[in-house]
Amino acid sequence: MKTIDKAYQNQIDIKKSQFICRLYPAQTEKEAKEIIKEISEQYKDATHNCSAYYVSDGEGYDDDGEPGGTAGRPMLNVLKKNELQNSAAIVTRYFGGIKLGAGGLVRAYSKSVLETLAIAEIVDMELYELFSFQFDYQHIKLVDGDLRSQKIDIIDKVYDSSVNYIIAIENKDRINNLKDKLAKEVKIEYLGKKYLKKL
């Protein structure tokens, strides 16, 4: 799966209207809608804040007062055509006094997203199963050795009253033999699935 690594912004001017596109990584519909709502409120002085999102649990768009089908849908089409998942796009328009017509609006909103995509870094993401490994300091060498031998990636380490590793694997069946082997030393907890940059 392809997505963007962070937020990007780009502005184009067409017939005195400003089109400011902001692209954000977003994993869920809820997250995408929150980002869109926040930006729309922040730039409520704009003529329109049109949006589109393409995420793991859905897709959607909003023309925000532009003629139906001239803004949000073309923006979503750009995201889908470029296979850019888990992303949200908001194009803020400040009207410059010259009407663009339906075809002109479709081209303007599409171009705004396309030009922002051109400056964005596209990253490959994979869906991983995350687990927490909690254990005493005396077992660090044992756990490190077992994870290394299984070629399992540790994505976070916290050293507190005990040691806590967050590990990511593509297939949770790989954890079963570790569970058996480390059952006495390590408390293993399943944290769910998450898209991460390919490890």
Side-chain angles (χ1 to χ4, degrees), residues 87-152:
S87 56
I90 305 103
V91 176
T92 300
R93 181 189 184 192
Y94 290 94
F95 183 53
I98 300 169
K99 291 189 175 181
L100 302 181
L105 287 170
V106 169
R107 286 190 295 275
Y109 281 100
S110 300
K111 186 179 181 188
S112 186
V113 177
L114 269 170
E115 291 205 1
T116 310
L117 269 180
I119 62 163
E121 186 183 336
I122 310 295
V123 290
D124 273 321
M125 304 288 274
E126 289 281 339
L127 189 60
Y128 289 92
E129 310 269 1
L130 300 189
F131 289 86
S132 160
F133 275 42
Q134 197 171 356
F135 52 92
D136 292 331
Y137 280 82
Q138 69 206 56
H139 302 306
I140 287 180
K141 207 170 178 181
L142 170 74
V143 175
D144 282 357
D146 282 344
L147 290 174
R148 208 167 26 249
S149 70
Q150 295 283 327
K151 294 187 170 67
I152 290 175

Side-chain angles (χ1 to χ4, degrees), residues 48-51 61-74 109:
H48 307 280
N49 283 294
C50 303
S51 58
Y61 61 88
D62 185 1
D63 293 315
D64 192 40
E66 291 283 29
T70 61
R73 166 61 78 182
Y109 281 100

Side-chain angles (χ1 to χ4, degrees), residues 22 24 26 29-45 49-53 62 64 88-92:
R22 295 173 181 89
Y24 292 90
E29 202 162 12
K30 183 174 181 277
E31 191 184 345
K33 284 179 174 176
E34 280 170 5
I35 291 167
I36 291 161
K37 186 182 173 204
E38 189 183 315
I39 294 300
S40 297
E41 283 173 5
Q42 199 176 336
Y43 298 95
K44 59 182 177 216
D45 63 323
N49 283 294
C50 303
S51 58
Y53 59 86
D62 185 1
D64 192 40
I90 305 103
V91 176
T92 300

